[in-house]
Amino acid sequence: MENEHSNYGMLSRTSGLRTVMDRVSTNIGRKRPLSHSTMLSTLEIDGSKGEGGGQIIRNSAAYAAIFQNRNLRLFNIRAKRSQQGLKRQHLVALELLAQASGASLAGATLGSTDVTMEFRDISESSSESPTPSQSLVGDTHTAGSICLLLQAITPFALFANRDVQWSLKGGTNATMAPQYDYFEQVFLPTLQLAGLPLEAIQSKVIRHGYYPKGGGEVMIHTTPLTSPLSPIVLQNRGHIVNIRITAFHGGNCPRHVAERMVKGAHRCIQQKYPSISIQKQVAFHESAVGAGSGILIVAQTDSGLRLAGSALGSRKEAPQQTGRLAAEELCSTLEDGGCVDEYLQDQLVLYMALASGRSEIVTGSLTLHTQSAIFVAEQLCGITFQVEKLDETAVDKVDNSNGRVSGRHRISCSGIGFLDRFSENKETTSGEAE
């Protein structure tokens, strides 16, 4: 099969993505005029499209809060899920973004499937001086993932016009989401490798909170960028130089549970990568709320990239099996050939769209989350992504159960070089898209 140098829509027609993304495009990007009391139009996004879960809420709301040039309506929120509508962590993310950006929310209640964020016209407030700093608290009162809250607020914080102190409360180690340790050990180092200043995001864990109790707290201090984010270019993975296995336990969960996780993971990795240096560590979360355990395995390459596999402990599963599953996840990612793992590829799309210049990343199998993130970025930023299949001999295969497209891909775009809405470039980087 020939390489397909094309825009995202063309790739969807020629390599099997059409079956996935045709379902995304029906309502995303449709604008509804408001009353004459405001000059801002409203962008309507169907929350059931694409991956149809929380990511479309987080990304859409983050872009809206950053640009503040259009109101945002999200409807059919999580319509295909068994429990439809906003869950606690989605609601808290929306509330934090609304408070930070000065937006008002309509319909923002638990279980709601229709929410609107409304902003003041920038022309009415452009002469105002930015607030020097701000302190905000977001509390899920559950084990709702703190890492997912960070996915929503971090883009806004970097492109805001002031320092913000965020107190985020919920689950540091929750199900169906990356562990907080992933944010510190993989996500942040990758952005820093791409040029994010070290002082832009400072974090401190006050206490860990495990599923199902939650109760964790993380303090985040963010300092906005003073120049547009540099292009994100991750094309050469290089060779693996070391693998670090960290198993953690907290509360009354005994140490031997974490030790057995390490043992199961080490055995699996050593079989596949016998010549790679493997570091092992057991960490005790002394101030944890609830009892729990988990494991994060990070592979580092000689080009500075980090890829990970992880798993959360369960009473229904032997610790050695939990460790082995995390190791198998990492090994599968490494064999997939990308420069980023599946949890990172969709998160980077948003930053690629906002960065200046030409960003390019090489991924392994293309996840449905990534496909959805690309489509939302195109609609809200008015740019076009290119997605190129790199494995010429590989046969396109779409997993209908999760929308994943097999094989290595190159994702690229020319970002809008956004800074903040008070900067001189606000007129040319407003994100307005028809």
Side-chain angles (χ1 to χ4, degrees):
M1 179 178 129
E2 296 181 355
N3 278 3
E4 293 153 355
H5 300 269
S6 59
N7 63 27
Y8 187 70
M10 181 62 69
L11 182 69
S12 69
R13 291 194 292 273
T14 58
S15 68
L17 295 183
R18 183 182 182 93
T19 56
V20 178
M21 291 311 300
D22 277 358
R23 298 193 296 271
V24 179
S25 61
T26 305
N27 291 300
I28 295 182
R30 181 161 53 90
K31 291 193 289 185
R32 174 175 62 88
L34 291 181
S35 66
H36 294 293
S37 62
T38 178
M39 295 176 62
L40 295 183
S41 61
T42 295
L43 180 68
E44 296 188 336
I45 293 184
D46 187 341
S48 70
K49 301 301 179 178
E51 59 86 25
Q55 183 218 45
I56 199 168
I57 302 170
R58 291 186 292 272
N59 283 22
S60 299
Y63 284 123
I66 290 168
F67 297 143
Q68 300 183 32
N69 65 335
R70 285 180 292 182
N71 299 315
L72 172 70
R73 180 189 172 214
L74 293 162
F75 65 99
N76 287 339
I77 294 172
R78 303 180 72 250
K80 296 178 181 178
R81 297 294 198 263
S82 57
Q83 294 182 346
Q84 298 182 7
L86 295 174
K87 299 189 76 172
R88 179 66 69 175
Q89 53 104 343
H90 308 127
L91 180 59
V92 171
L94 288 172
E95 291 173 343
L96 283 170
L97 287 171
Q99 291 176 54
S101 65
S104 60
L105 292 173
T109 58
L110 284 177
S112 173
T113 59
D114 197 318
V115 176
T116 300
M117 294 181 72
E118 294 188 345
F119 301 91
R120 286 188 299 167
D121 191 336
I122 290 178
S123 63
E124 298 175 1
S125 56
S126 59
S127 61
E128 296 178 3
S129 299
T131 304
S133 62
Q134 190 175 24
S135 296
L136 295 171
V137 178
D139 191 349
T140 67
H141 298 284
T142 66
S145 171
I146 288 176
C147 204
L148 294 183
L149 292 180
L150 283 164
Q151 287 184 18
I153 67 166
T154 301
F156 171 84
L158 293 179
F159 296 96
N161 50 31
R162 60 194 174 278
D163 287 13
V164 183
Q165 184 79 20
W166 310 82
S167 172
L168 306 179
K169 302 178 182 181
T172 56
N173 305 92
T175 58
M176 305 299 290
Q179 310 307 306
Y180 175 75
D181 309 76
Y182 180 92
F183 177 81
E184 284 195 337
Q185 296 185 36
V186 180
F187 174 80
L188 277 185
T190 301
L191 279 190
Q192 289 162 355
L193 184 66
L196 181 72
L198 292 174
E199 67 274 10
I201 302 175
Q202 299 293 320
S203 61
K204 180 181 180 181
V205 177
I206 305 302
R207 60 182 173 275
H208 288 82
Y210 288 94
Y211 176 85
K213 287 189 175 182
E217 182 177 7
V218 175
M219 298 296 296
I220 305 287
H221 182 85
T222 55
T223 301
L225 299 174
T226 57
S227 60
L229 187 65
S230 300
I232 298 173
V233 181
L234 306 174
Q235 297 190 84
N236 177 28
R237 189 174 81 183
H239 301 286
I240 304 166
V241 293
N242 66 72
I243 295 175
R244 183 175 64 253
I245 302 172
T246 304
F248 45 85
H249 64 112
N252 60 10
C253 180
R255 179 182 175 88
H256 71 77
V257 170
E259 290 175 336
R260 290 161 64 191
M261 285 185 185
V262 170
K263 185 176 181 180
H266 183 264
R267 180 182 296 123
C268 179
I269 292 173
Q270 197 170 45
Q271 288 175 349
K272 294 194 175 184
Y273 299 97
S275 61
I276 301 297
S277 172
I278 302 175
Q279 301 169 344
K280 298 177 289 183
Q281 179 183 4
V282 171
F284 177 54
H285 294 162
E286 185 174 0
S287 61
V289 176
S293 61
I295 185 169
L296 176 69
I297 311 173
V298 179
Q300 187 165 358
T301 73
D302 55 11
S303 61
L305 297 177
R306 301 187 184 197
L307 304 93
S310 63
L312 201 62
S314 170
R315 292 181 179 180
K316 299 179 181 179
E317 185 175 77
Q320 292 97 324
Q321 174 69 359
T322 301
R324 186 178 67 83
L325 289 175
E328 289 178 345
E329 181 177 84
L330 173 63
C331 291
S332 176
T333 294
L334 296 176
E335 291 168 1
D336 220 12
C339 293
V340 294
D341 58 50
E342 67 175 79
Y343 299 110
L344 191 57
Q345 62 175 252
D346 67 287
Q347 294 184 58
L348 291 181
V349 166
L350 187 150
Y351 297 92
M352 293 169 67
L354 295 173
S356 63
R358 188 76 179 171
S359 291
E360 295 186 359
I361 65 172
V362 173
T363 74
S365 298
L366 204 65
T367 68
L368 184 55
H369 277 78
T370 299
Q371 297 167 53
S372 302
I374 288 172
F375 198 89
V376 172
E378 290 184 333
Q379 298 304 306
L380 278 95
C381 297
I383 62 174
T384 300
F385 277 75
Q386 289 75 42
V387 180
E388 173 190 354
K389 186 71 175 289
L390 295 179
D391 299 324
E392 295 185 15
T393 59
V395 177
D396 285 326
K397 182 180 179 181
V398 179
D399 187 334
N400 291 326
S401 66
N402 58 23
R404 183 190 298 270
V405 184
S406 62
R408 290 194 312 140
H409 296 79
R410 178 183 290 114
I411 303 173
S412 60
C413 75
S414 294
I416 64 174
F418 190 80
L419 192 51
D420 69 64
R421 68 189 183 98
F422 287 93
S423 66
E424 294 179 357
N425 71 344
K426 65 186 176 186
E427 293 182 1
T428 58
T429 60
S430 64
E432 183 73 38
E434 292 299 324

